[in-house]
Amino acid sequence: MQPVIRAFDDGDQEAVIALSLRAWAPVFASLAKVLESSGVYTRLHPDWRVSQREAVINVCRSADQQVWVADANASVIGFVAVTQHHDAGIGEISMLAVDPSHQHTGVGGLLTSFALDQIKNSGMRVAMVETGGDDGHAPARRLYEQAGFTQLPVARYFKKL
């Protein structure tokens, strides 16, 4: 059965947090590999689960975000958040996660497509999404490229102080 995309409600919060932490565990493991030799990783993410939990809560509660969930059989299996930058005409997919048990089943594509429709229907001229260049973010890059996004290479450097 295809998941249904519906508006996030407060009762979804713990499920969204839990699936996000499961989904992003490989991402943070990849970031640790890239950044730990410089000592930067532990400075940026002393406990990534705590900071990501707060980030998800902030996104879900923000008046500036629109949040939807993918619901399958009364279970939240993914979510997407969108920010509208009206002054620039840009709609941004600011956060997206799919529970690992439902990854590679089309849920990420469904959420991305839904978000793009919402962005377009709100009058935005451009859609934007940002993700990492490390191995842990490779599935996200594939998803966004399949959705027709064009990658803008960015160099971001970190140094422990």
Side-chain angles (χ1 to χ4, degrees):
M1 176 178 170
Q2 177 102 359
V4 173
I5 307 299
R6 62 170 176 76
F8 169 88
D9 67 52
D10 291 340
D12 298 324
Q13 183 171 291
E14 288 307 315
V16 167
I17 291 167
L19 77 85
S20 297
L21 295 179
R22 288 190 298 272
W24 294 329
V27 170
F28 282 92
S30 175
L31 290 174
K33 265 201 262 184
V34 172
L35 295 172
E36 191 49 47
S37 66
S38 65
V40 170
Y41 181 79
T42 53
R43 298 244 173 132
L44 290 175
H45 306 289
D47 187 340
W48 73 266
R49 286 171 185 82
V50 170
S51 58
Q52 282 307 114
R53 178 181 179 81
E54 285 182 31
V56 171
I57 289 169
N58 290 339
V59 162
C60 290
R61 290 184 180 169
S62 172
D64 296 331
Q65 302 277 335
Q66 296 171 289
V67 183
W68 298 274
V69 297
D71 187 313
N73 302 319
S75 293
V76 175
I77 61 170
F79 89 108
V80 64
V82 169
T83 306
Q84 306 285 350
H85 304 282
H86 293 282
D87 55 333
I90 297 174
E92 177 184 2
I93 296 175
S94 54
M95 200 173 272
L96 187 149
V98 175
D99 193 285
S101 64
H102 293 276
Q103 291 176 359
H104 311 293
T105 65
V107 176
L110 185 67
L111 286 164
T112 301
S113 179
F114 182 88
L116 290 172
D117 287 345
Q118 297 302 311
I119 290 167
K120 183 178 180 180
N121 292 339
S122 70
M124 298 296 106
R125 298 182 314 269
V126 173
M128 176 181 81
V129 66
E130 184 177 318
T131 193
D134 59 289
D135 291 344
H137 286 93
R141 289 193 306 277
R142 281 192 299 276
L143 172 67
Y144 301 136
E145 289 166 7
Q146 289 171 353
F149 283 89
T150 301
Q151 182 184 19
L152 172 66
V154 174
R156 182 176 288 167
Y157 294 90
F158 293 91
K159 178 177 176 27
K160 182 176 85 170
L161 300 176

